[in-house]
Amino acid sequence: KGILFEAYRYGGGLGLRFNERWKADNCSVLTSEGNDRLTADGTNAKWCIVSGEASDGKGTNGILFMSHPKNRNHPEPMRIWPIDANGGRGDMFFEFCPIRHEEWKIEPNKRYGLNYRMVVFDGTLNAEEAEAYWQSFAKENQIELINK
């Protein structure tokens, strides 16, 4: 009879709980829509940069998460823990969550897929660079057939 994923703030996409050292004061979020750690939770985005202090304390690194345009509910809703989460520590969690705002019924004998890409980086990544990575990912392997 299938499976019903009820609308919920977690589930269905790609998520990552980050390094235990990344807290409210040393990590950040920037989405394709210009939201930050304080405003991104529950919003939709094509991509999201999560970055923080490097493990050696001498710089920054992070991950650019990208959702493909063919994914369900793209641009996708996200779950990002509040900056005061976990007793005020502000631990970092990110997830693309296609069931965040509406349920999703998975029917038997049908094929489903979600496509994501992550770019892991040292240093910093700005919005223009993130958008260029996303544009490349979104247009990859597109073939146009022309009948003559």
Side-chain angles (χ1 to χ4, degrees), residues 38-105:
L38 295 174
T39 61
D41 185 48
T43 66
N44 298 348
K46 303 180 297 188
W47 53 260
C48 182
I49 301 169
V50 180
S51 60
E53 183 179 289
S55 60
D56 63 5
K58 297 178 183 175
T60 302
N61 52 39
I63 301 176
L64 166 64
F65 293 91
M66 296 178 280
S67 167
H68 197 274
K70 292 183 180 177
N71 284 359
R72 179 182 192 273
N73 286 342
H74 180 84
E76 288 190 56
M78 297 170 292
R79 172 64 174 149
I80 296 172
W81 280 349
I83 203 156
D84 61 352
N86 303 96
R89 290 190 317 250
D91 298 351
M92 185 62 219
F93 175 84
F94 166 84
E95 180 182 22
F96 276 126
C97 185
I99 63 169
R100 176 82 193 236
H101 302 299
E102 63 181 66
E103 66 185 28
W104 186 8
K105 183 163 188 191

Side-chain angles (χ1 to χ4, degrees), residues 121-136:
F121 61 90
D122 283 323
T124 60
L125 192 70
N126 66 38
E128 293 78 22
E129 293 166 319
E131 182 66 20
Y133 275 116
W134 183 82
Q135 289 290 334
S136 176

Side-chain angles (χ1 to χ4, degrees), residues 108-119:
N109 303 314
K110 287 191 177 180
R111 188 176 188 143
Y112 297 89
L114 296 169
N115 294 296
Y116 300 100
R117 180 168 289 169
M118 297 184 299
V119 175

